[in-house]
């Protein structure tokens, strides 16, 4: 699971700078994706959601104008506001009431503390969190690759990916049959089949190249809009494909897990395919050995017991034309009966 930086975590880190949370305490568990400065009350579409903005509010003349701007910031999904006390020494009561009513945290920055100091704390926190994510990611990727050597199978790899990405995964074999799944109750078996049918109807060879398809879910309850298809193939063979069912953009860390999981599934498929060919070849050799007369000794139907100690398997063979086989069997039975009568 990817960890996130929350407003609460950030406020704890800047507490030594005497930064004080004034209001909006019920909103401190929201995530924080960035921090920036906005000194002018500009309503720009460039403002991204889930951020924290710092300001002096020097451009806003009264509390009503401040509240109107906070209302706009809420509409842009800003998760907290830091007010520097270089101009405003005390937050107006009306602003505090608005903040509490809308769960918008407002913290007061002391006059002697610079914006740069606040931002430095966030960047240090971001680096620390990134290092934790990187370590977690390395452990997950190594775990998937090691599972191939330990013969844990494709389902194990798909489960690791699904738990990290938190989205349904469908793994199809080279015949486009379901090999393994991770749904965690997000979709059911009928919906999985509907996904495969819709992909097939859009493009018969959808599995031949990596591509993202739009998806029309049969139910509005399904929070799905796209299907990402990843073929599992090397220069010689096609081993199947992996389908990611999602409604979100993938981060760099997500893509790393996806690529390592794809590699692990490919290696597992190659290994399984090699073992399958090995057993098939051994079976063919066994059948040929049974049907072929041993070269070092002549076949003697009068002494069938000579070869019984070499018998390891019994194969039932169906002939398209049983006439010759029946003649051979009759001849063998006749010689066997003659041998019994002579003794």
């Amino acid at each position: 699971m990817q960890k996130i930086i929350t407003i609460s975590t950030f406020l704890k880190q800047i507490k030594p700078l005497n930064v004080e949370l004034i209001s909006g305490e019920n909103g401190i568990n929201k995530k924080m994706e960035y921090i920036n400065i906005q000194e002018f009350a500009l309503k720009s579409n460039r403002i991204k959601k889930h951020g924290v903005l710092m300001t002096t509010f020097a451009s806003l003349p009264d509390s009503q104008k401040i509240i109107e701007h906070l209302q706009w910031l809420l509409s842009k999904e800003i998760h907290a506001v830091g007010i520097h006390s270089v101009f405003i020494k005390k937050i107006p009561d009306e602003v505090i009431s608005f903040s509490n009513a809308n769960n918008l945290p407002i913290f007061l920055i002391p006059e002697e503390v610079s914006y740069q100091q606040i931002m430095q704390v966030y960047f240090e926190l971001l680096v620390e969190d990134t290092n934790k994510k990187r370590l977690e990611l390395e452990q997950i990727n190594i775990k998937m690759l090691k599972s191939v050597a330990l013969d844990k199978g494709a389902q194990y790899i798909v489960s690791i990916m699904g738990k990290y990405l938190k989205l349904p995964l469908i793994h199809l074999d080279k015949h486009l049959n379901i090999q393994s799944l991770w749904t965690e109750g997000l979709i059911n078996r009928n919906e999985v089949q509907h996904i495969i049918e819709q992909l097939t109807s859009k493009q018969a060879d959808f599995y031949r190249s990596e591509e993202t398809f739009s998806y029309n879910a049969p139910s509005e309850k399904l929070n799905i809009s796209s299907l990402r298809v990843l073929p599992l193939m090397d220069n010689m063979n096609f081993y199947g494909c992996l389908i990611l069912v999602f409604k979100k953009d993938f981060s760099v860390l997500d893509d790393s897990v996806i690529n390592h999981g794809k590699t692990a599934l490919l290696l597992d498929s190659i290994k399984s395919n090699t073992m399958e060919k090995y057993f098939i070849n051994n079976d063919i050799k066994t059948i040929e050995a049974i049907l072929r007369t041993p070269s070092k000794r002549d076949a003697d139907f009068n002494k069938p017991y000579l070869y019984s100690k070499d018998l390891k398997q019994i194969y039932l063979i169906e002939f398209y034309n049983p006439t010759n086989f029946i003649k051979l069997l009759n001849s063998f039975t006749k010689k066997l009966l003659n041998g019994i009568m002579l003794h």
Side-chain angles (χ1 to χ4, degrees):
M1 178 188 297
Q2 295 189 36
K3 298 178 179 62
I4 58 174
I5 299 174
T6 64
I7 305 298
S8 175
T9 303
F10 176 61
L11 290 175
K12 287 177 183 177
Q13 294 298 313
I14 59 177
K15 191 173 182 180
L17 297 175
N18 296 319
V19 174
E20 182 183 1
L21 178 67
I22 301 300
S23 56
E25 186 175 358
N26 290 336
I28 61 174
N29 291 323
K30 295 176 183 177
K31 65 181 178 179
M32 176 181 179
E33 294 186 356
Y34 71 93
I35 186 168
N36 209 341
I37 301 168
Q38 189 194 45
E39 283 300 348
F40 300 99
L42 300 176
K43 296 180 179 181
S44 171
N45 290 327
R46 290 180 295 178
I47 292 181
K48 297 181 180 179
K49 62 182 181 179
H50 303 164
V52 172
L53 293 181
M54 297 186 294
T55 182
T56 61
F57 276 145
S59 63
L60 297 174
D62 54 48
S63 59
Q64 184 57 41
K65 291 295 182 181
I66 292 175
I67 290 173
E68 288 177 8
H69 193 67
L70 291 178
Q71 183 70 57
W72 183 81
L73 291 178
L74 279 172
S75 71
K76 304 302 290 186
E77 296 186 54
I78 293 299
H79 281 175
V81 175
I83 300 179
H84 201 288
S85 59
V86 66
F87 291 115
I88 300 178
K89 306 302 180 183
K90 182 180 182 301
I91 308 297
D93 291 339
E94 298 89 345
V95 174
I96 292 175
S97 297
F98 175 85
S99 168
N100 287 326
N102 290 276
N103 300 324
L104 176 66
I106 291 179
F107 55 91
L108 190 63
I109 304 170
E111 186 175 344
E112 68 275 8
V113 176
S114 67
Y115 285 149
Q116 184 180 357
Q117 288 174 275
I118 301 292
M119 297 183 81
Q120 182 63 32
V121 171
Y122 173 71
F123 292 141
E124 289 174 358
L125 193 60
L126 188 64
V127 169
E128 179 185 347
D129 188 64
T130 301
N131 288 337
K132 289 180 181 178
K133 289 178 182 178
R134 185 181 294 112
L135 179 60
E136 177 190 13
L137 200 63
E138 288 176 359
Q139 292 173 341
I140 289 174
N141 292 339
I142 291 172
K143 189 176 182 181
M144 288 191 294
L145 293 174
K146 282 179 67 176
S147 68
V148 179
L150 298 175
D151 287 326
K152 292 196 173 182
Q155 182 60 56
Y156 182 77
I157 299 169
V158 169
S159 297
I160 292 176
M161 294 178 67
K163 288 175 184 176
Y164 179 86
L165 297 170
K166 290 188 172 9
L167 52 84
L169 301 176
I170 306 169
H171 174 212
L172 304 181
D173 63 17
K174 59 187 176 183
H175 304 295
L176 300 184
N177 296 319
I178 297 174
Q179 176 78 11
S180 46
L181 279 173
W182 195 89
T183 61
E184 199 67 9
L186 299 172
I187 57 175
N188 58 40
R189 195 83 180 190
N190 290 335
E191 288 157 352
V192 169
Q193 200 59 46
H194 182 268
I195 288 170
I196 298 172
E197 290 172 358
Q198 191 168 127
L199 279 174
T200 306
S201 65
K202 285 185 177 182
Q203 188 172 330
D205 57 348
F206 69 90
Y207 50 86
R208 289 297 179 184
S209 60
E210 183 170 336
E211 196 169 342
T212 299
F213 299 88
S214 60
Y215 176 64
N216 298 320
S219 169
E220 293 181 358
K221 295 180 180 179
L222 290 179
N223 192 24
I224 299 169
S225 62
S226 302
L227 304 170
R228 181 173 173 182
V229 178
L230 306 174
L232 304 174
M233 56 198 306
D234 56 20
N235 293 331
M236 298 292 293
N237 300 296
F238 170 75
Y239 299 99
C241 65
L242 181 66
I243 303 171
L244 288 73
V245 184
F246 69 99
K247 188 178 182 179
K248 66 172 185 175
D249 295 327
F250 292 107
S251 67
V252 174
L253 299 181
D254 291 339
D255 281 329
S256 177
V257 171
I258 291 169
N259 289 330
H260 277 81
K262 177 185 172 183
T263 300
L265 285 173
L266 177 59
L267 292 174
D268 183 73
S269 299
I270 292 173
K271 184 178 180 181
S272 299
N273 190 64
T274 302
M275 293 300 295
E276 182 182 343
K277 286 183 178 179
Y278 171 79
F279 286 123
I280 289 174
N281 290 338
N282 269 4
D283 287 344
I284 291 173
K285 289 178 182 179
T286 302
I287 293 173
E288 288 176 345
I290 292 172
L291 297 179
R292 184 174 61 245
T293 301
S295 58
K296 293 185 178 179
R297 51 190 174 187
D298 296 329
D300 188 350
F301 289 108
N302 290 319
K303 297 179 180 180
Y305 56 85
L306 288 176
Y307 305 110
S308 62
K309 65 181 179 180
D310 298 327
L311 185 63
K312 294 181 180 179
Q313 300 181 43
I314 297 176
Y315 283 81
L316 299 179
I317 302 173
E318 182 179 356
F319 291 84
Y320 290 110
N321 185 358
T323 304
N324 293 333
F325 177 71
I326 293 173
K327 289 180 181 179
L328 182 63
L329 183 62
N330 289 335
S331 174
F332 173 78
T333 304
K334 184 177 179 181
K335 290 187 178 184
L336 183 63
L337 291 175
N338 288 339
I340 294 173
M341 291 177 65
L342 289 174
H343 287 79

